[in-house]
Amino acid sequence: MKLIKLVPDDTNIGFLKWRVPFFVVSGILIAASWALVLFQGLNLGVDFVGGQMIRTTFVGQAEAPVPQMRETIARLGYGDPIIQRFGAENEASIRMKLPEGSESQPDLANTMADRITGALRADFPGVRIDGVDSVSGKVSSELFRTGLLSLLLSMIAISIYIWVRFEWQFGVGALFALFHDVSLTLGFFALTQLEFDLNIVAAILTIIGYSLNDTIVVYDRIRENLKKFRKMPVPELLDLSVNETLSRTVMTNLSLLIALVPLLFFGPASLFGMTAAITLGIFVGTYSSIYMAAPLLIWLGVKSDSFVHTTDGPDKAERIARGEVQT
Amino acid sequence: MLDFPRWKRIWLWSLLLVVALASLPSLASLSGVKWPEELPDPAINLGLDLAGGSHILLEADTSQIGAQRLESMEESVRTAMRTAEPSIRVGDVSTNDGRLSFMVESAADVDRARELLLPLVNGTGMVREWSLSVVDETRFVLTPTQQGLDAALDQAMDSAKDVIDRRINAIGTLEPTIIRQGENRIVVQAPGQQDPEALKALIGQTAKLEFKLVDMNALPSDVMAGNAPPGSQIYPYAADSPNAGQFIAVRRLGGIQGDNLVGAQQGFDSRDNTPVVNIQFDQQGAAKFARLTTENVNKPFAIILDGKVLSAPNINEPIRGGTAQISGGFTVESANQLAISLRSGALPVDLTVIEERTVGPDLGADSIRAGLIAMGIGTGLVLVLMFFTYGRFGLYADIALVLNVLMIMGIMAVMNATLTLPGIAGFVLTIGAAVDANVLINERIREERRKGRPVHSAIENGYREASRAIFDANITNVIAAMLLFLFGQGPVKGFAVVLVIGIITSVFTAVTLTRMWVAGWLRRTRPADINI
């Protein structure tokens, strides 16, 4: 059987030649993402801002009658609802602020949900209420804080581990690559205004996981080559490492995309935002491993002998004995 | 690297078999096949976002606990002083700033009063519940200690959980989960299509029943203005009672609490056939109730539920049988609900719903089906790609991947873990990691072969060199997952659980198992060349 080879054996692409322009592009993308997040804002779901979300499906209809729904709900006097289609055309979510005073009187939120679903059922006989989420301001700010905290802590802990296993430059490089990935993902959500809820936090964590996988594979090869080719200039060595791991990069990411694309198109609507983020993250993560994590090593001053004295005991002892390293 | 003695092979296979078998009940239930009842059936719980159901997060009003303790301390102190021989006269009792302070009228009684107070402030447990000090020679100040308050809160939350448990079971909720969360929260989860409104109505009712004497001396104008006479309190009438909108003054102390009940049923008033709740006191409660009604014949007393007066009937004759009838503009439903709440005891604290999520079961079922089909298609395509890329080695990786899925499910089933939507993301991530591990290994073997290494040493090198990156990548993911588990909440936690399990099983299947199979094949056939 003739086996598939996605990347020819003698591939040698000069990735690092383009490191400066790509780095500039990355910087612009990061800045643009944050500008979008700050000025346009994320479409934060009730998980993070509090409020009530009611999900509806109009069974047997081609699409959800959003304008009429808005009219029906506005008549109840709870303010203007945010109504969005999600997933299929006949599915819509309604988002409301919690009524005044509901922090002390939870009944008010209940009554609001009852009245809205009641009015919808009366005006639209085919409607199915798929779910109601009520999150108080107290809980939402906690969810926001713990979500952010766990994200930051895990990024820092990961960098420390990489620093210990490799060198400090690698830790910084990985942290930067992760920052790049998270920034671009946030920018994507600000741009598309897809709803940003707790599930998206899980998606960002998945992206961090994949991106890190890529970064570590490239770094591992750099570490190996630094030990093997002590005379090779660092840019050349980085190119070699990226090229050597290229067939793996392509194969793994292709597999992941193959697994995700059906989920994107045929999966449940509730998974769409999450799957879209992860799919984007695969591209962003691979790119950042090659164009952020690797070139940063040059600028942070990784030397050809960086690993000679740190990786294993006997080597270090030997070098100390030869007087090359100070204890 | 490629040496697998017989004992190791047997051990690995049996581990694999046991864990994978544990996934069968879950697979059966997902695909709708009936699992034989006589077999053990550890199964994965589906989270509410997948299976549908209600999730209600309640928070207790902790400030109440302090106030309640202060009030009961005041009663105890007054009783202790009154019943002392000879009795000690106290005055200027105040409960401001969360402290109880009072003066003993005669300085000679200070030591005796202190003796009487000591057992009260030390409580029954190991912690000192109140600190006692004497200022200006005759003034006693009792300040609750933080440990005492914490212990009281803890106790109150435990009993609140039990009360909710009894109430929810009384209406036949199926498989509810009720757990305490943090210091002052309780999570109630009820799967499937059940009425969340009934659930909330039942949980939300504190059901604290009190009987207090009406203060006949209070001026109606004072009552309307909200000025309570000394020793009295003003309560509003309940919204459903015939006197809704009015207020009434009752004596603050000397009433009885409705927590000594042995029964409560919904019934009908024999005169006008309106719904009522019939209650039966236990022996102690019956005695107290008999005394209260005997001493106050022809005076009205107020029946107060959760701070609202239901009715204030006249005591026509002493009630000695220990039963009473509560009326107050009930419907059959609300009377029934109150009866359940009273039977299961009052909540020691008021609980407020701060988060509520309800997912319709249709959506859940659709999600699962669509998700499973999509994942099935995706996984199938990946298996095909792996096989056509790495041949025999790809096939080993494929088998390992399928076993990996089974193992994750098996471990989750045995741990009784819950699968949520973010959990599925974790699943996808670990499957990706498993694929990547095999890609790394196989690409490395290709590379080593290209450099001209003989088959055996190329494979051995491939596994060794690739393992380093696989190890580092997985350790970082485990670190991240641990932190997420520690600091994350709800869905993020669900993600972390799947991730940790998946990382362990994927290393086992993708690295150890495939290596064993490759080693076995090498030993049997001793190939001079491999197609990879």
Side-chain angles (χ1 to χ4, degrees):
Chain A
M1 186 175 77
K2 185 88 180 67
L3 297 177
I4 304 169
K5 260 191 187 146
L6 293 169
V7 178
D9 284 346
D10 48 0
T11 305
N12 188 12
I13 303 170
F15 287 103
L16 276 285
K17 196 164 62 190
W18 302 98
R19 63 178 180 271
V20 176
F22 272 116
F23 204 77
V24 172
V25 169
S26 303
I28 293 171
L29 283 177
I30 291 176
S33 295
W34 282 105
L36 273 173
V37 170
L38 293 178
F39 296 114
Q40 174 123 326
L42 292 167
N43 177 10
L44 290 175
V46 291
D47 290 342
F48 296 125
V49 289
Q52 197 160 58
M53 185 167 89
I54 301 170
R55 274 157 298 168
T56 56
T57 303
F58 289 80
V59 183
Q61 292 175 31
E63 58 177 68
V66 173
Q68 293 93 315
M69 286 169 75
R70 188 167 283 128
E71 226 168 84
T72 300
I73 296 166
R75 268 206 306 274
L76 298 174
Y78 286 111
D80 278 334
I82 301 172
I83 301 183
Q84 277 186 321
R85 279 212 188 96
F86 76 103
E89 287 289 301
N90 65 342
E91 296 178 8
S93 74
I94 302 156
R95 236 156 64 208
M96 305 290 300
K97 284 203 181 79
L98 286 181
E100 295 267 326
S102 57
E103 297 292 311
S104 52
Q105 285 171 278
D107 291 359
L108 293 177
N110 279 339
T111 317
M112 181 169 86
D114 288 350
R115 288 190 59 199
I116 292 175
T117 51
L120 287 175
R121 285 201 177 104
D123 286 10
F124 311 99
V127 73
R128 185 180 78 195
I129 306 297
D130 289 327
V132 178
D133 287 354
S134 285
V135 182
S136 69
K138 194 169 187 177
V139 171
S140 63
S141 57
E142 267 178 32
L143 288 175
F144 191 79
R145 216 176 39 240
T146 57
L148 200 67
L149 181 76
S150 49
L151 212 68
L152 285 178
L153 278 179
S154 56
M155 277 170 68
I156 291 170
I158 286 165
S159 311
I160 292 176
Y161 176 80
I162 294 177
W163 171 30
V164 171
R165 282 284 293 171
F166 296 81
E167 275 287 294
W168 70 266
Q169 291 96 333
F170 292 73
V172 175
L175 187 63
F176 219 81
L178 292 185
F179 173 73
H180 167 266
D181 303 340
V182 173
S183 302
L184 261 55
T185 313
L186 290 178
F188 170 74
F189 275 90
L191 185 71
T192 57
Q193 290 291 304
L194 280 171
E195 182 168 309
F196 194 87
D197 57 18
L198 267 181
N199 287 343
I200 304 303
V201 175
I204 292 184
L205 296 167
T206 311
I207 293 172
I208 290 182
Y210 279 143
S211 166
L212 208 67
N213 222 20
D214 271 336
T215 305
I216 286 181
V217 167
V218 174
Y219 275 5
D220 178 71
R221 189 55 74 106
I222 294 173
R223 174 169 62 182
E224 191 183 326
N225 285 337
L226 277 173
K227 281 189 265 184
K228 218 187 279 175
F229 309 104
R230 300 197 182 170
K231 294 274 151 55
M232 193 184 283
V234 173
E236 205 174 306
L237 187 138
L238 296 186
D239 254 339
L240 175 74
S241 307
V242 172
N243 275 299
E244 278 180 348
T245 52
L246 192 63
S247 53
R248 170 265 158 200
T249 307
V250 172
M251 178 66 188
T252 294
N253 290 318
L254 185 67
S255 302
L256 290 176
L257 287 179
I258 286 179
L260 282 170
V261 167
L263 207 54
L264 200 58
F265 290 112
F266 310 116
S270 43
L271 274 181
F272 183 83
M274 195 159 94
T275 319
I278 297 176
T279 309
L280 173 84
I282 287 173
F283 289 102
V284 175
T286 309
Y287 165 83
S288 71
S289 302
I290 296 174
Y291 278 110
M292 298 288 289
L296 266 171
L297 296 178
I298 305 177
W299 293 313
L300 291 171
V302 164
K303 299 278 171 357
S304 336
D305 59 354
S306 279
F307 276 98
V308 180
H309 60 280
T310 48
T311 43
D312 39 23
D315 199 338
K316 184 175 181 182
E318 186 191 315
R319 284 170 57 88
I320 293 169
R322 279 189 274 139
E324 290 177 21
V325 182
Q326 304 232 312
T327 41
Chain B
M1 265 313 223
L2 293 177
D3 193 25
F4 281 87
R6 179 184 288 270
W7 65 267
K8 207 169 177 181
R9 291 205 304 270
I10 294 174
W11 192 84
L12 288 175
W13 274 110
S14 28
L15 179 68
L16 176 71
L17 214 66
V18 169
V19 177
L21 274 180
S23 69
L24 291 182
S26 310
L27 279 177
S29 89
L30 279 177
S31 51
V33 179
K34 199 163 160 8
W35 185 251
E37 271 173 36
E38 52 274 19
L39 295 174
D41 59 343
I44 299 176
N45 300 315
L46 292 177
L48 295 179
D49 50 355
L50 293 176
S54 315
H55 161 107
I56 299 169
L57 179 61
L58 301 150
E59 189 173 75
D61 179 1
T62 53
S63 65
Q64 275 182 337
I65 292 178
Q68 278 169 12
R69 285 179 86 227
L70 213 54
E71 193 172 304
S72 75
M73 189 49 130
E74 186 187 341
E75 284 249 38
S76 311
V77 168
R78 281 179 186 273
T79 313
M81 298 299 139
R82 199 175 54 237
T83 53
E85 283 293 332
S87 64
I88 300 169
R89 294 175 59 83
V90 297
D92 194 19
V93 183
S94 97
T95 52
N96 291 337
D97 305 331
R99 291 184 302 189
L100 173 66
S101 87
F102 61 92
M103 280 169 77
V104 179
E105 288 190 358
S106 143
D109 282 337
V110 167
D111 285 340
R112 230 155 42 85
R114 192 206 299 271
E115 284 294 304
L116 290 168
L117 287 174
L118 279 179
L120 295 178
V121 300
N122 282 341
T124 47
M126 298 297 283
V127 293
R128 232 169 66 108
E129 296 185 350
W130 299 74
S131 71
L132 173 68
S133 61
V134 183
V135 293
D136 300 338
E137 293 182 5
T138 58
R139 175 171 288 282
F140 282 87
V141 179
L142 281 81
T143 316
T145 62
Q146 193 56 49
Q147 294 102 305
L149 274 176
D150 290 348
L153 174 61
D154 196 52
Q155 221 171 27
M157 292 307 291
D158 274 342
S159 72
K161 184 184 158 250
D162 292 343
V163 169
I164 291 177
D165 207 350
R166 284 195 294 271
R167 287 188 189 173
I168 288 183
N169 282 313
I171 57 165
T173 307
L174 296 171
E175 298 172 50
T177 316
I178 302 153
I179 39 172
R180 278 190 59 186
Q181 185 182 300
E183 269 176 12
N184 60 342
R185 291 183 178 173
I186 294 175
V187 181
V188 179
Q189 293 188 325
Q193 189 166 29
Q194 299 180 45
D195 184 3
E197 294 309 314
L199 211 59
K200 270 187 308 191
L202 206 56
I203 297 167
Q205 192 167 37
T206 308
K208 186 180 176 197
L209 188 64
E210 294 164 294
F211 301 91
K212 291 187 172 181
L213 287 171
V214 175
D215 184 351
M216 300 300 285
N217 301 325
L219 294 170
S221 58
D222 276 351
V223 172
M224 279 319 285
N227 300 325
S232 289
Q233 272 169 303
I234 292 180
Y235 280 104
Y237 271 96
D240 294 332
S241 88
N243 300 331
Q246 296 178 29
F247 294 85
I248 189 168
V250 298
R251 310 286 304 168
R252 202 154 65 85
L253 301 175
I256 61 175
Q257 309 268 324
D259 43 9
N260 309 68
L261 298 184
V262 285
Q265 293 85 31
Q266 185 260 323
F268 292 97
D269 190 315
S270 53
R271 283 159 301 180
D272 54 9
N273 234 13
T274 53
V276 292
V277 179
N278 294 311
I279 56 171
Q280 293 94 43
F281 286 99
D282 65 4
Q283 224 171 2
Q284 203 190 353
K288 280 196 209 164
F289 197 61
R291 196 170 60 229
L292 180 83
T293 50
T294 310
E295 287 168 2
N296 296 291
V297 173
N298 283 330
K299 289 182 199 161
F301 73 120
I303 302 171
I304 303 164
L305 179 70
D306 295 339
K308 306 257 166 62
V309 177
L310 295 176
S311 55
N314 223 37
I315 304 172
N316 295 324
E317 54 191 306
I319 304 170
R320 297 208 174 84
T323 61
Q325 191 179 69
I326 302 172
S327 57
F330 295 126
T331 63
V332 173
E333 202 186 359
S334 67
N336 208 3
Q337 233 162 39
L338 177 60
I340 291 176
S341 301
L342 289 175
R343 271 206 302 276
S344 42
L347 284 172
V349 280
D350 283 349
L351 295 173
T352 311
V353 178
I354 54 171
E355 185 187 356
E356 190 208 332
R357 291 169 194 271
T358 312
V359 178
D362 297 335
L363 180 73
D366 286 352
S367 297
I368 298 177
R369 205 173 320 114
L372 283 180
I373 291 173
M375 276 170 77
I377 295 173
T379 315
L381 290 174
V382 172
L383 296 182
V384 171
L385 178 70
M386 289 286 274
F387 176 69
F388 282 107
T389 310
Y390 300 118
R392 170 180 291 276
F393 292 82
L395 193 63
Y396 288 148
D398 285 350
I399 301 171
L401 199 64
V402 173
L403 290 173
N404 183 28
V405 174
L406 294 185
M407 283 186 85
I408 296 177
M409 291 179 73
I411 292 178
M412 286 184 71
V414 172
M415 282 175 57
N416 214 6
T418 302
L419 184 68
T420 55
L421 279 182
I424 291 180
F427 223 100
V428 174
L429 175 59
T430 55
I431 289 176
V435 170
D436 188 45
N438 281 117
V439 171
L440 272 168
I441 292 166
N442 292 333
E443 287 294 334
R444 191 69 190 215
I445 295 174
R446 268 187 182 174
E447 211 180 314
E448 299 289 327
R449 281 293 289 159
R450 211 159 48 229
K451 285 183 199 154
R453 277 189 196 269
V455 170
H456 191 278
S457 116
I459 292 175
E460 184 147 11
N461 247 332
Y463 271 96
R464 184 185 308 115
E465 296 295 326
S467 291
R468 206 179 42 233
I470 296 171
F471 175 80
D472 278 335
N474 284 304
I475 291 283
T476 44
N477 272 328
V478 169
I479 293 174
M482 295 282 186
L483 285 167
L484 294 178
F485 187 77
L486 283 178
F487 295 100
Q489 273 184 339
V492 175
K493 246 193 175 105
F495 173 84
V497 171
V498 178
L499 195 56
V500 173
I501 298 174
I503 288 168
I504 296 166
T505 59
S506 72
V507 170
F508 176 75
T509 53
V511 182
T512 313
L513 283 183
T514 61
R515 202 173 70 212
M516 177 172 81
W517 295 332
V518 170
W521 175 69
L522 282 182
R523 206 176 47 247
R524 281 193 309 276
T525 58
R526 307 196 174 279
D529 192 13
I530 47 172
N531 185 13
I532 189 165

